[in-house]
Amino acid sequence: MGRPAIPSTSLVRVVRTHFGLTLEALAAYLRVSVGLVSHLEAGRRALSGPLLLRLSHLARHVPEVPAALTEAETIARLTPPSAPLLEARLDYCQHHAGRLRRELRAFADQLRLAGHWQQALPTLLPAAPDATAAAWLDRRQQQTAADLDADSSAHYHLLRARLLALEAETEALKQLLALLPD
């Protein structure tokens, strides 16, 4: 079993991470091979004077303590979003939320009816007038059990979670669209 990797804190890695560069991109900037950048980053090779000078042009723009942007700062850096794109997503969310509401209503009706059968079957089964009726009631009891089992419950809760997520996204999109200039 191998040992876990220790994240590199070399200047090469810090610069590469800060600017979101791939090994290939930094290698192209430094005009060296990808393998050399990998060795420099891992500390297996030392930076030569000319490489250090080229890297220092980028390194001087790396803050000593990287600061995470607040949500407001992140939003302030963005250009205003495209209203048609947001409106299309809002339409999608509203359409699918409506479909899920209908599906959940049908599911709730099915559960309500299964509850009725669950209450009635204990008295109906022993009083079945013949074998055909008893077989029909047995099938109804199996269907009722399937309608009320753990898989059905999970399916209901997953549908409900999807609906809640779409409703939350719908509200967020409406608020965002309200903030856009007309």
Side-chain angles (χ1 to χ4, degrees):
M1 185 162 108
R3 59 186 172 95
I6 298 171
S8 175
T9 57
S10 71
L11 180 61
V12 174
R13 175 64 178 186
V14 170
V15 166
R16 201 166 72 75
T17 302
H18 178 74
F19 288 104
L21 298 171
T22 62
L23 286 169
E24 293 78 10
L26 186 56
Y29 174 79
L30 295 174
R31 298 186 303 272
V32 298
S33 72
V34 173
L36 179 58
V37 172
S38 179
H39 286 296
L40 292 169
E41 187 173 300
R44 293 186 297 267
R45 297 276 304 268
L47 277 166
S48 65
L51 281 179
L52 183 56
L53 183 61
R54 275 186 246 143
L55 189 62
S56 70
H57 293 295
L58 290 175
R60 76 175 70 135
H61 296 284
V62 176
E64 292 209 19
V65 178
L69 293 178
T70 65
E71 185 177 2
E73 290 169 329
T74 300
I75 291 170
R77 290 185 181 194
L78 296 171
T79 58
S82 164
L85 185 64
L86 297 177
E87 289 164 349
R89 180 64 188 179
L90 177 61
D91 183 55
Y92 172 89
C93 290
Q94 289 173 327
H95 171 77
H96 284 279
R99 186 180 54 76
L100 286 172
R101 276 188 212 93
R102 288 188 297 278
E103 197 173 335
L104 281 167
R105 272 194 302 274
F107 206 102
D109 287 344
Q110 179 182 339
L111 292 175
R112 181 180 50 80
L113 294 173
H116 294 176
W117 278 107
Q118 190 178 37
Q119 287 178 335
L121 281 167
T123 55
L124 289 173
L125 278 167
D130 55 42
T132 304
W136 187 90
L137 288 170
D138 280 339
R139 285 192 303 278
R140 182 74 252 162
Q141 186 174 36
Q142 291 170 3
Q143 182 59 52
T144 298
D147 288 347
L148 298 172
D149 71 3
D151 288 346
S152 292
S153 176
H155 182 67
Y156 175 82
H157 288 292
L158 290 171
L159 287 174
R160 195 165 168 277
R162 286 174 48 209
L163 175 60
L164 291 173
L166 282 171
E167 288 174 339
E169 186 175 356
T170 296
E171 286 309 309
L173 288 167
K174 285 178 180 178
Q175 290 172 12
L176 184 55
L177 283 165
L179 297 175
L180 294 179
D182 291 330

